[in-house]
Amino acid sequence: MAPVDDTDKLDDVADKTNEKLDEHPWAEWLPKAGWLARGFVYAFMGWTVLLISFQKDSADEASSKGAVVALADQPYGRIVIGALAVGLVALVVWQALALALIRDTDAKSWFKRLSGAGTMVIYAGLAFTAMRAALGMSADNGGGIERLSKGLLSSTPGRIVVFVAGAIALGVAGYRAYKGWEHKFLKHLDLDGCDPRRRKLITRLGTVGWIGRAFVVGLVAVFSMWAAVTADPDNAVGFDQGLRKVSVTSWGFVLVALAGLALIGYGLFCVVSLKYRELRD
């Protein structure tokens, strides 16, 4: 339990943040823009996963080009990515505000802060990559995690770090799967008055989407942990390469294709549930 003065400080920060949001109603549009960008990111990511599932090249020969970089190569891709970058920045700003609105000091609240901070860092990195791609600058090809993991695997302490990080990611994946299966994501939505058919659609898309995200995160986590155990940097793979390794195995392409459809489902979930999201939950 945190000291009383720490709790008071958190309450003061939350109160001031709420006051600022009340003074500037336009700030409520930040998460809306961000969630639309988030939906697009996952839908496009799902599409690239579907393409991976139907590729016949080996995991070693396959390109590791990331989804954002691949989109930049398409007609009008830079314009789309520029809009995407703006939405992602809005999502990062709102995530920072959401962290400031958390008042409690129990374990659950600190987990929410840690999870939110991690999400903010991830989307900030993706926004940076999108901005560079939109400006025609050299962008990260999606292998940043892979390069970092391989660097850490060169030493025993580094391998411990990679294994622990993989274990945490695997735990996060398990929680996401549970949240999707048990429909826990619905508590962040205000569905009062929602049409029953639309509610059913939101529930189904959310269930599929959350479980699909869990599969992808868990897959990369397992590869990272195995690389730490075997001390083999070649086993440390990022998002694209991990899926490619699975897709070339017997029936693996089916799992990857299902994961792609699930990610597209999550992207649609972000869009159709936007109207019902509780922005200050």
Side-chain angles (χ1 to χ4, degrees):
M1 178 68 67
V4 175
D5 57 336
D6 287 350
T7 303
D8 290 341
K9 289 178 181 178
L10 291 173
D11 284 336
D12 289 340
V13 170
D15 289 338
K16 290 179 180 178
T17 302
N18 267 313
E19 289 175 4
K20 292 297 182 182
L21 290 175
D22 290 335
E23 293 173 5
H24 304 286
W26 57 265
E28 298 284 359
W29 286 95
L30 288 174
K32 293 181 182 295
W35 272 88
L36 284 176
R38 180 185 177 114
F40 179 85
V41 167
Y42 275 98
F44 186 74
M45 190 184 300
W47 175 249
T48 60
V49 170
L50 278 177
L51 295 180
I52 288 174
S53 70
F54 292 112
Q55 288 177 350
K56 300 301 182 183
D57 47 4
S58 71
D60 293 332
E61 295 172 346
S63 170
S64 61
K65 179 180 289 188
V68 171
V69 181
L71 179 58
D73 294 336
Q74 306 302 316
Y76 305 104
R78 290 186 183 179
I79 297 176
V80 174
I81 288 180
L84 178 63
V86 173
L88 288 171
V89 170
L91 188 59
V92 170
V93 173
W94 179 259
Q95 185 65 64
L97 292 173
L99 290 176
L101 290 171
I102 301 176
R103 299 173 181 269
D104 296 331
T105 57
D106 56 7
K108 183 178 180 180
S109 298
W110 284 110
F111 177 79
K112 288 175 63 177
R113 290 186 179 93
L114 181 61
S115 177
T119 299
M120 188 168 62
V121 170
I122 291 173
Y123 284 110
L126 188 55
F128 179 74
T129 298
M131 286 180 182
R132 291 180 63 87
L135 294 174
M137 303 171 65
S138 176
D140 189 352
N141 65 359
I145 295 177
E146 183 178 348
R147 290 195 300 272
L148 176 61
S149 297
K150 289 184 176 181
L152 289 172
L153 289 170
S154 61
S155 65
T156 299
R159 290 195 291 273
I160 295 174
V161 170
V162 171
F163 184 87
V164 171
I168 293 175
L170 192 61
V172 170
Y175 174 72
R176 285 180 176 176
Y178 163 76
K179 195 170 183 178
W181 185 260
E182 295 293 333
H183 303 163
K184 296 293 185 181
F185 55 86
L186 293 177
K187 69 180 182 180
H188 302 296
L189 305 175
D190 182 7
L191 296 175
D192 291 340
C194 178
D195 180 79
R197 289 176 297 180
R198 190 178 184 89
R199 183 187 182 104
K200 183 180 293 186
L201 175 63
I202 290 173
T203 302
R204 288 179 176 176
L205 288 175
T207 300
V208 171
W210 277 88
I211 294 176
R213 292 172 66 205
F215 171 76
V216 173
V217 172
L219 180 67
V220 176
V222 168
F223 275 121
S224 297
M225 294 172 69
W226 181 245
V229 171
T230 61
D232 186 355
D234 291 335
N235 287 329
V237 298
F239 171 75
D240 286 2
Q241 287 294 320
L243 290 170
R244 293 178 198 277
K245 283 180 176 290
V246 174
S247 67
V248 296
T249 62
S250 299
W251 295 102
F253 73 95
V254 176
L255 287 176
V256 175
L258 290 175
L261 292 174
L263 292 176
I264 292 174
Y266 184 79
L268 294 174
F269 164 77
C270 290
V271 175
V272 299
S273 66
L274 178 61
K275 176 182 177 181
Y276 307 99
R277 285 198 59 82
E278 293 183 330
L279 303 181
R280 301 196 200 182
D281 57 358

